[in-house]
Amino acid sequence: MMSKKIALITGANKGIGLEICRQLAKQDFKVILTSRDEERGKKACEELKATGLDIDFHQLEVTDENSVTKAYNYVNDTYGRIDVLVNNAGILKHHEHDVFDVPIDEIKEVVETNFYCALLVTQKFVPL
């Protein structure tokens, strides 16, 4: 059984998510970096691993329930648990526009991704 705490970070191939991975790994966590773009996620993972950090990668598209299930199965089969879940994946559209000028369908997409998909990931992973 692993002695390190295990953290799963969504949307972690750049920006805040990538830095969360770096900081948790520096605190001796085994970090599972996830991103919807497999190539970018693997590249980010390799860059962190090259600095001696304990990082694993798995592709995860939070808007796709099948992808969430595959990631859950991978984590469950490989580690059997997680200790920390960071729902970092999200989208922002038209941030330069007034909210009154953004089409409602695009606002719905942002809410779907940033709220409901985070809830889906939480529902799936918290039992671990």
Side-chain angles (χ1 to χ4, degrees):
M1 193 84 183
M2 295 191 92
S3 60
K4 284 187 172 189
K5 288 186 178 179
I6 300 165
L8 181 118
I9 312 345
T10 68
N13 65 295
K14 62 183 179 179
I16 293 170
L18 183 61
E19 188 60 26
I20 291 169
C21 289
R22 183 184 335 274
Q23 294 303 318
L24 287 173
K26 284 181 177 182
Q27 294 179 41
D28 206 31
F29 277 77
K30 171 67 176 191
V31 174
I32 305 162
L33 180 157
T34 72
S35 72
R36 66 180 166 188
D37 185 302
E38 189 167 3
E39 184 178 321
R40 289 180 184 170
K42 285 181 176 179
K43 182 179 179 196
C45 181
E46 291 306 316
E47 288 173 6
L48 292 176
K49 286 170 83 170
T51 66
L53 299 175
D54 194 2
I55 309 287
D56 189 8
F57 170 76
H58 198 275
Q59 191 277 335
L60 173 58
E61 169 55 74
V62 298
T63 64
D64 178 353
E65 192 167 354
N66 288 330
S67 179
V68 175
T69 298
K70 285 179 184 177
Y72 168 85
N73 289 338
Y74 170 77
V75 172
N76 188 40
D77 293 346
T78 305
Y79 303 104
R81 69 175 215 278
I82 61 170
D83 300 292
V84 173
L85 171 63
V86 179
N87 277 305
N88 179 68
I91 60 172
L92 177 62
K93 291 188 167 204
H94 300 289
H95 61 279
E96 69 280 354
H97 292 94
D98 189 298
V99 71
F100 297 109
D101 297 328
V102 179
I104 197 70
D105 287 345
E106 292 183 19
I107 292 172
K108 286 179 179 178
E109 181 183 0
V110 169
V111 171
E112 172 89 14
T113 300
N114 297 351
F115 177 73
Y116 292 111
C117 294
L119 180 58
L120 171 65
V121 171
T122 301
Q123 287 175 331
K124 185 63 87 172
F125 281 93
V126 164
L128 285 179

